[in-house]
Every structure is written in structure tokens, then in C-alpha cells.
Amino acid sequence: MDRRLYGALVAAPAVAVGLYALYAYRSKKSLYFWFNVPYSGGRGTFRGLFVKARNFIYRNTIQDRLWNYIEARSEEGNADSVLAAFDDYCYNYEWTWAIGDKKAAILAKVVQEAKPKVTLELGTFLGYSAIIIAQNMPSDGKLITVEANPKSAEIAKKIISRAGFGDKVTVINAFSYDVIPNLHHDYDVETLDMVFLDHFKTGYVADLQRLEKGGFLHNGSVAFADNVDGEGSPGFSEYIRKSGHYECQFYEADVEYFAGVSDGMDRGIFKGADMFSGETLGL
């Protein structure tokens, strides 16, 4: 092989790594952040490995690290300062599943328009979206948020409380399919004015159907979902449009904390309450 060609082949990986490091430096983000972002064609593949590695090295979790950062850099009872610290960490240190400030603006608008007195959130991670909902719902509104991961539920309670909404938001550590049938009995919920779906992506349609069949949605209830485009929840947008029970609007968005990776959010305003009585869940 020609020596110049051989040298170029050997040097190419080093040059690529150097350019990558320079780009990370100039963008003022940590190198770890850039190994941690969601790549199209395999979202989370690299991120999961690096999160596990860092958890092992630091003997804590991403939930702990984010909480420690927020606690040190936010003001007790000041929701805006909590969200600002949350965003700063996720933009510059570790990418996470929180919806982020860009999508938060969309969520806030949807909540303001819906004016929900009773809201159910499926999947809170560490409480970012719960804070946005609590900030924008009526003063006498209540939010029930369901998080299956015990560690995330534990830290979410701390972050939500630090933001000043501990008395308005109930965090439940359970699976959505266990909570929904018992909303009447265990949580004194007759109907929901809004449900925000941001949990197991393959569970969106099934859980929405559980809410429909259980009689939890009235005419005008809002079903709003994140991650419905790209590699997100399969079938949600198609379902709410083909069911005939929803008035729909799609919102284009990028993946949280990372511009250039396409994503989207979808809203359905329920119009089919007369089709469901709640009897199918034995309520």
C-alpha cells in the first residue's frame, strides 16, 4: 500500500476525534454530553452505555447527579430557577429524557388553553413537565403524575417540592396500567380534563384506550403526547386521527436539548364520551 495512503488511513480517526473534541469545546458542552445525546437511527444506544459507565464510576445515578446540581443552583420555592438549573445541566453536562425548555413552551400553551382542573401525567421522569403543568393549570387544579422507576419517582418528588408544587402534585410510583383502573377508587378521580403521555412509548395507545373505556375522558378532555414522531410512540397519531373521537393538532419539535433530531408532540381533544361508559373496566 502506498505510504501516503496508509498514513492518511491511520491519521483519519485521530483527526476525526480531534475535530469532534474541538466542536464540543467550542460549543461549550462537555465531551461527555456529546457521547450522551440521542442519535437518529439508534436513539439511546450510546447514551445508555455511557450513563451506566458514569453511574458505576461515580457510584450514583443520573437522577442523583441532576438533583444535586439543581439543589445547589436553584432557589427553594422558585420554579423558574429550578427549571433553569435543570436546563443548564441537560444542555451542558448530561442529556436526559426531560422535555426541555423548547417543548415546555408547547406544553405550557396546551395547558393554558385546556385550563385543566384534574390532570394525569403518565411518565414524569424527574418532574420537569410536572412543574410546567403545575405552573400553567388553574390555581385550584391538581396533577397526578405516574412514574414507574422508583429512583426517578423519589427524585421527582424532591424537585417538584423544591419548585413549590409539592402540595399540588401527587407522584405515584407505579405502572400506568395498574393506576388507571383505580383512579376512581384510590385517587378520587371522576374524569380527567387532560392527560399528558410521556412514558413507555409502546403504551400510549393502550393507556389512552384504558382511559376511554374507563369513562375517564369527557367531551373536551385533552390527550397530549410527546415523542410521537421519528422513533417515538408508534401508532398514537394514527390512532387519534382514525378513531374519529378526537380533534387533532400536531406540533413539530426537535428532540429535547438537541437541535436537528426531528420529533413531535400531538394533541387530541376528545369528542367521543357518549361511546364509553366505564363498564368495560368494571368501575
Side-chain angles (χ1 to χ4, degrees), residues 62-63 66 86 96-98 123-128 147 152-153 155-156:
I62 189 172
Q63 293 95 326
L66 207 153
F86 208 130
T96 74
W97 297 271
T124 197
F125 183 46
L126 297 181
Y128 191 114
E147 174 55 50
S152 294
I155 301 301

Side-chain angles (χ1 to χ4, degrees), residues 142-165:
K142 73 173 182 177
L143 168 63
I144 297 169
T145 185
V146 181
E147 174 55 50
N149 183 291
K151 186 65 177 181
S152 294
E154 172 196 341
I155 301 301
K157 288 180 182 179
K158 292 182 178 181
I159 293 176
I160 292 167
S161 178
R162 186 165 186 82
F165 296 114

Side-chain angles (χ1 to χ4, degrees), residues 6 22 91 109 119 194 231 246 264:
Y6 179 78
L22 177 62
Y91 269 120
K109 180 181 178 182
T119 302
M194 180 172 175
E231 296 175 21
Y246 294 88

Side-chain angles (χ1 to χ4, degrees), residues 17-147:
V17 170
L19 291 173
Y20 192 63
L22 177 62
Y23 177 67
Y25 172 77
R26 291 178 65 87
S27 64
K28 302 186 186 306
K29 296 180 186 293
S30 67
L31 282 174
Y32 178 74
F33 177 92
W34 290 106
F35 283 111
N36 196 28
V37 296
Y39 295 98
S40 58
R43 245 181 241 178
T45 302
F46 293 104
R47 139 166 243 299
L49 292 174
F50 278 91
V51 167
K52 289 178 181 179
R54 201 173 206 199
N55 290 351
F56 177 79
I57 292 169
Y58 286 92
R59 293 293 190 267
N60 63 11
T61 65
I62 189 172
Q63 293 95 326
D64 291 316
R65 294 191 292 275
L66 207 153
W67 163 243
N68 292 338
Y69 192 89
I70 290 173
E71 186 180 31
R73 292 167 175 79
S74 66
E75 178 185 348
E76 181 79 35
N78 185 332
D80 289 337
S81 75
V82 169
L83 294 173
F86 208 130
D87 287 332
D88 184 55
Y89 188 82
C90 295
Y91 269 120
N92 297 302
Y93 297 98
E94 287 189 79
W95 183 90
T96 74
W97 297 271
I99 65 168
D101 54 338
K102 302 295 191 299
K103 286 183 178 178
I106 300 173
L107 175 59
K109 180 181 178 182
V110 170
V111 175
Q112 289 165 8
E113 292 175 351
K115 300 179 176 63
K117 293 292 185 71
V118 183
T119 302
L120 174 68
E121 180 185 44
L122 302 179
T124 197
F125 183 46
L126 297 181
Y128 191 114
S129 51
I131 293 171
I132 296 298
I133 294 170
Q135 277 186 317
N136 291 279
M137 66 184 184
S139 58
D140 59 344
K142 73 173 182 177
L143 168 63
I144 297 169
T145 185
V146 181
E147 174 55 50

